[in-house]
Amino acid sequence: MNLLKLLPVAFVCILLLSFGASLAQSAGHNSGEGWWSARRDSAGIAPDPHQNASTAIVQVYAAQTYGWKGWFAVHPWIIYKRAGETRYHRYEVISWGSDDKVRHNQNIADAYWYGAKPRLLVEHRGAAAAAMIPQIEATINDYPWPRTYHAWPGPNSNTFLAHIGREVPELKLNLPANAIGKDFRSLLSPVGLPPSGKGVQLSLLGLAGVTLGGQEGLEVNVLGLNLGMAFDPPALRLPFVGQLGNDDTQPDKG
């Protein structure tokens, strides 16, 4: 069997293994409970804003989406506070409840996402965080799809965070491979920056493309399923499960 025949077989095997791992990971979430009773309290991850009142902080989180969608994708959000503030601002895109999809402080800063514990993707503190907060706010206001939401291929909550990452490269955003929607791009601009803000990306509506990025490494997208390899540090980027090989948090305590 030649290499060209082996590649699709290997790709299908990776998909099946990754999907199985995602099912196993999701087994403990939402076990028998409805969305109305699933956990949405604080996960205890965000620094206490009162104890850190003098410090500017920026963080990005992601958690598995609720129900069967969690087998495939994550829901991300960004929080920040300026020096002197004792409460976080949380921004995310949510599909239900309003025509305005971009929401501010609809949920606790580091809350469980309907039973799924969030994972910290990015953290910046001090002067670095203070410098990027005005850029983050401006980018949120410039989000191109504030009243449009499509779970697949986008625009959705991952598209929103990817937009911020592209416009604020200092964030060093590393959205996992299962952040479906992060590669959504308008047909009018199929080539541009990846979600990390450094590198290059070719993407046709998030359905097919390739990314070479500072945080993403090399990643191929087929129908919204991403497979690739990060280089610094080395890690496998896999559909359904996100990333294997390192804790992809990018801390900067400032």
Side-chain angles (χ1 to χ4, degrees):
M1 186 178 292
N2 60 38
L3 182 60
L4 290 179
K5 292 181 179 179
L6 281 173
L7 284 176
V9 173
F11 183 71
V12 171
C13 289
I14 290 172
L15 289 183
L16 291 175
L17 289 171
S18 298
F19 185 60
S22 179
L23 285 177
Q25 184 178 359
S26 301
H29 298 161
N30 321 315
S31 53
E33 59 183 348
W35 61 267
W36 57 89
S37 60
R39 288 191 67 172
R40 295 179 64 190
D41 58 311
S42 171
I45 302 173
D48 187 293
H50 293 276
Q51 294 180 4
N52 295 273
S54 62
T55 304
I57 298 174
V58 175
Q59 292 184 325
V60 176
Y61 292 91
Q64 283 189 298
T65 56
Y66 179 77
W68 64 267
K69 292 181 182 178
W71 303 343
F72 300 91
V74 295
H75 172 78
W77 62 92
I78 189 168
I79 70 170
Y80 64 82
K81 71 171 214 62
R82 298 174 179 83
E85 291 184 326
T86 56
R87 184 186 181 190
Y88 287 105
H89 299 271
R90 169 170 168 161
Y91 282 94
E92 63 201 311
V93 158
I94 297 175
S95 63
W96 64 88
S98 172
D99 290 336
D100 297 319
K101 307 306 179 184
V102 179
R103 309 293 172 80
H104 177 223
N105 287 348
Q106 183 162 320
N107 296 285
I108 298 170
D110 60 351
Y112 280 77
W113 182 250
Y114 295 95
K117 186 176 182 178
R119 182 163 54 95
L120 179 64
L121 299 183
V122 167
E123 179 178 275
H124 298 277
R125 299 192 190 189
M132 68 179 70
I133 287 173
Q135 302 174 57
I136 291 169
E137 291 181 321
T139 301
I140 290 170
N141 291 331
D142 290 339
Y143 179 58
W145 302 283
R147 299 173 69 85
T148 303
Y149 185 98
H150 300 291
W152 179 86
N156 57 29
S157 59
N158 289 299
T159 312
F160 176 65
L161 262 295
H163 170 69
I164 296 174
R166 291 186 180 100
E167 297 298 320
V168 190
E170 298 83 4
L171 192 61
K172 299 180 182 178
L173 180 61
N174 186 10
L175 285 172
N178 59 341
I180 292 177
K182 69 182 179 64
D183 300 325
F184 180 85
R185 305 183 66 92
S186 167
L187 281 175
L188 299 177
S189 58
V191 180
L193 294 172
S196 65
K198 292 185 179 180
V200 63
Q201 180 180 65
L202 167 64
S203 182
L204 300 177
L205 291 176
L207 292 171
V210 61
T211 296
L212 182 62
Q215 307 299 326
E216 298 91 348
L218 178 62
E219 189 174 86
V220 176
N221 174 4
V222 179
L223 296 179
L225 300 176
N226 290 294
L227 175 65
M229 171 69 77
F231 304 127
D232 185 24
L236 284 174
R237 296 178 62 82
L238 299 172
F240 308 117
V241 296
Q243 185 159 304
L244 295 177
N246 75 293
D247 176 3
D248 45 16
T249 302
Q250 302 296 320
D252 179 0
K253 299 302 176 67

